Amino acid sequence: MGKIIAVANQKGGVGKTTTAVNLAAALGDKGKRVLLADTDPQGNTTSGVGVDRRQCKISVYEVLIGGAKAKDALLKTEFKNLSLLPSHMDLAAAEIELVNLENRETMLKNALAPIRGDYDYIFIDCPPSLGLITTNALTAADTILIPIQCEYYALEGLSQLMNTVRRVKRQYNDLLDIEGVLLTMYDGRLNLTQQVVEEVKKYFPRKVFKTVIPRTVRLSEAPGFGQPVLYYDRASRGAQSYGELAQEILKNNR
């Protein structure tokens, strides 16, 4: 039975999609069967693995709203052991359309259930909001991975996210746990970075990953080429960091 990890933070620009794409690719490279589910209407995870979402006949929108089966929407990527459940811009309307549906919070969970056993890990890249799509992701997930950037106001809004996690845990998914908190855009030379690290560790005791993700040019460039950084430049610091994070997750999940 595959483990489902939601990558979530309602704050934009924290490295959420970068983490979903590169961590999934790193685990695939280590021999794990991995599915990336893109539930963000912006579709950056989809394009980040080289898929043109305009060409996708069936996307997560049809799976959530149109009764399509997840297995019919799956795409194999060109990267080792990595499959994709693509997003589409129509997904922006799903928040409104879900409101009137019965069992609206469990649509994604029910859709993933038949294919869950085909993967070791399923990563859900959540939109930068705390609406019904993110609620669906947290209801479907075993754990949540929270990327936090090492910048001013890093913890801003996190109390809202944790309130949502507690609500989902109470109402729909009592087993939901925190996989870990990932520090992104890390620059150890800055005093500010060290201050943010200390703050985050106080806020999330024993939940912060040892691995940190540096701010690097290669990580920024790779999505423009439709590739995880591991395939764009295997020797880069970004690729090595996500490889270390994958190793840390494997160790934690033994």
Side-chain angles (χ1 to χ4, degrees):
M1 185 74 80
K3 182 169 193 178
I4 302 179
I5 301 176
V7 183
N9 188 334
Q10 83 274 22
K11 198 169 178 195
V14 298
K16 191 168 45 61
T17 296
T18 299
T19 294
V21 168
N22 290 301
L23 179 53
L27 283 164
D29 189 59
K30 292 180 187 300
K32 298 299 178 184
R33 299 163 303 159
V34 185
L35 173 65
L36 257 179
D38 188 356
T39 65
D40 187 341
Q42 294 174 81
N44 291 335
T45 289
T46 299
S47 58
V49 291
V51 173
D52 182 350
R53 61 183 181 156
R54 292 169 300 185
Q55 304 301 316
C56 299
K57 291 187 171 61
I58 306 174
S59 71
V60 75
Y61 172 78
E62 284 76 22
V63 172
L64 284 176
I65 303 294
K69 290 183 177 167
K71 71 179 174 64
D72 296 329
L74 296 179
L75 299 173
K76 280 263 197 294
T77 73
E78 60 184 278
F79 310 110
K80 185 179 174 185
N81 297 318
L82 185 59
S83 298
L84 174 73
L85 179 57
S87 179
H88 192 275
M89 56 195 74
D90 288 347
L91 192 58
E95 289 280 353
I96 300 162
E97 294 175 57
L98 278 167
V99 169
N100 299 315
L101 297 182
E102 208 174 323
N103 302 318
R104 59 192 182 187
E105 294 87 2
T106 58
M107 303 297 276
L108 185 59
K109 179 181 182 177
N110 296 338
L112 292 177
I115 60 169
R116 186 172 179 168
D118 299 334
Y119 299 97
D120 298 304
Y121 288 94
I122 297 174
F123 287 94
I124 306 173
D125 184 25
C126 299
S129 70
L130 294 177
L132 267 172
I133 293 175
T134 296
T135 298
N136 261 269
L138 296 178
T139 301
D142 298 302
T143 59
I144 175 174
L145 190 158
I146 306 168
I148 295 179
Q149 84 283 32
C150 294
E151 295 182 351
Y152 280 116
Y153 310 122
L155 295 173
E156 193 178 61
L158 274 179
S159 58
Q160 287 172 279
L161 175 62
M162 296 317 296
N163 284 341
T164 299
V165 169
R166 282 189 285 272
R167 178 177 61 82
V168 168
K169 199 170 164 114
R170 189 173 61 249
Q171 294 180 326
Y172 313 112
N173 181 4
D174 59 351
L175 298 177
L176 181 64
D177 197 5
I178 296 176
E179 182 73 27
V181 176
L182 179 66
L183 293 159
T184 63
M185 304 174 201
Y186 182 90
D187 186 344
R189 298 167 302 177
L190 301 177
N191 286 335
L192 170 64
T193 296
Q194 303 307 330
Q195 289 164 18
V196 170
V197 170
E198 291 311 309
E199 274 185 63
V200 172
K201 284 182 175 174
K202 274 186 213 160
Y203 197 93
F204 293 101
R206 298 181 302 282
K207 286 294 185 181
V208 181
F209 287 111
K210 292 185 181 73
T211 306
V212 297
I213 307 301
R215 187 192 290 280
T216 74
V217 173
R218 287 289 189 257
L219 271 177
S220 303
E221 288 176 346
F225 292 86
Q227 296 180 328
V229 71
L230 175 69
Y231 292 87
Y232 180 64
D233 184 352
R234 187 176 283 267
S236 67
R237 282 169 60 227
Q240 289 167 5
S241 296
Y242 277 108
E244 288 165 14
L245 178 62
Q247 203 61 53
E248 194 173 342
I249 281 180
L250 291 173
K251 186 179 169 189
N252 292 346
N253 285 286
R254 273 184 196 150

